[in-house]
Amino acid sequence: MQQKGAIQIIEWEDLDKRKFYSLGVFMTLTTRATVYPASLIRTRLQLQKGKALYSGTFDAFFKILRTEGVRGLYRGFMVNTFNLVSGQAYITTYELVRKYVSHYSPSNTVKSVVAGGAASLVAQTITVPIDVVSQHLMMQGQGEHLTRFKVKPKMMLTTAKRKPSFGQTRDITVQIFAADGFRGFYRGYVASLLTYIPNSAVWWPFYHYYAEKLSLLAPSGCPHLILQAVAGPMAAATASTITNPMDVVRARVQVEGRSSVTETFKQLLAEEGIWMMTKGLSARIISSTPTSVLIVVGYETLKRLSLRSELIETRHW
């Protein structure tokens, strides 16, 4: 019987990689589709001046739903699905670096911090160009006056239907390249690294820490997956609160075409005071809570389902 409090971690070498990747794509797509509306709302809240358009997360949700419909909550989602590539790159890097670091340190915290940061570095290099285009698409509709680039209204002769998502994506992509060249797609790259590397490096060790503490408090028969599902949102709230100021700066740099992270931070602080550090934080925590539950339950279940056949009977959860 496992010692109370000892949550067994499935490591990279325990996995059947073919199962792991095939099931992982489905898990990542499902998670992104579920939390995308909250990400869109967070972006609009972070980019508005003060409370010019929305007074908060729920106000934004109902206004977008009323004026733009359900489609408005999924603006830019199609192009955002290309982040499936970065999702697979993230988990692969995390597991491989974690395995590499284990040769030098037995500490789970050290392995989690280093692997989480490295995974985010690789993923953001792939993600930033997709996010730049996606965020401009998110701002169309009620928030289009806050972005430099706008989808050109083109109507077919026989119908007044809106352009397909990829037509809008092409419009935005062409405008970004014409205005800023290839560098435009990596606008805010440094700010993204300063946001997501610490976020990832903080999330993993806090996730394991909270899971272990919860396991000490929970009844001995409590399934570890439930404890992990609770620990995920707790770690996400902690990481989001720590890194939110840089996330606000990142969004402004990417969408408003700013070039200096430092100057953007100073201007935001001067215009909106210390409260700029909390802009979009509630939306971020709200979006990160179901995201973390889905990611933790999905990821831990994925690893269980991907165990090498000879190990299945030796693991007890």
Side-chain angles (χ1 to χ4, degrees), residues 244-280:
N244 195 69
M246 188 52 64
D247 193 40
V248 176
V249 173
R250 175 197 59 79
R252 289 290 179 95
V253 168
Q254 288 182 335
V255 176
E256 295 183 355
R258 299 168 184 259
S259 59
S260 171
V261 171
T262 304
E263 289 304 316
T264 301
F265 181 82
K266 288 180 179 178
Q267 184 175 345
L268 279 168
L269 203 56
E271 290 178 354
E272 306 190 37
I274 197 70
W275 292 107
M276 59 77 56
M277 295 186 179
T278 65
K279 287 177 72 71

Side-chain angles (χ1 to χ4, degrees), residues 83-102:
N83 273 326
L84 287 172
V85 177
S86 69
Q88 297 305 300
Y90 180 94
I91 59 177
T92 301
T93 303
Y94 177 78
E95 294 293 347
L96 288 176
V97 172
R98 183 181 171 85
K99 180 181 178 182
Y100 177 79
V101 175
S102 68

